[in-house]
Amino acid sequence: MVLPIHPVFQNDKGSKKNADYRNKILMLLEEHPDSKTQLALRMGYKGITSKLNREIKTLLLEKKIEQVLVNGKTVYKVA
């Protein structure tokens, strides 16, 4: 048995927020490649959040950003 879902409830607001968050990360990394710590500070956080970690991993898997070593520090930049 399949229950119909009203169209209002089919819109996933959480995925839009995640997309906005990812776009903000990409925008900041386009301006200047940064470490996670520096990126978190530029986003207004005191330190690296679990959400930032998760989104960085997702963007790496999607090959939208890449991880490089600069002067012995891990830095992320737009691919």
Side-chain angles (χ1 to χ4, degrees), residues 7-58:
V8 170
F9 299 108
Q10 290 178 346
N11 186 7
D12 186 10
K13 294 176 185 174
S15 71
K16 182 176 179 345
K17 284 184 181 180
N18 286 342
D20 290 343
Y21 192 79
R22 281 190 205 133
N23 287 336
K24 184 175 182 179
I25 293 170
L26 290 170
M27 181 189 71
L28 290 171
L29 291 177
E30 279 179 353
E31 292 172 5
H32 185 268
D34 259 331
S35 66
K36 282 184 191 178
T37 303
Q38 288 301 316
L39 183 59
L41 293 173
R42 288 175 59 199
M43 293 178 79
Y45 299 110
K46 291 182 181 179
I48 301 168
T49 64
S50 60
K51 183 174 183 176
L52 179 61
N53 258 334
R54 187 172 47 249
E55 296 304 331
I56 291 282
K57 286 178 185 176
T58 301

Side-chain angles (χ1 to χ4, degrees), residues 29 32-36 38 60 65-78:
L29 291 177
H32 185 268
D34 259 331
S35 66
K36 282 184 191 178
Q38 288 301 316
L60 284 168
I65 63 172
E66 50 190 37
Q67 183 177 352
V68 293
L69 273 175
V70 177
N71 298 327
K73 292 183 179 181
T74 302
V75 174
Y76 298 91
K77 67 177 194 167
V78 176

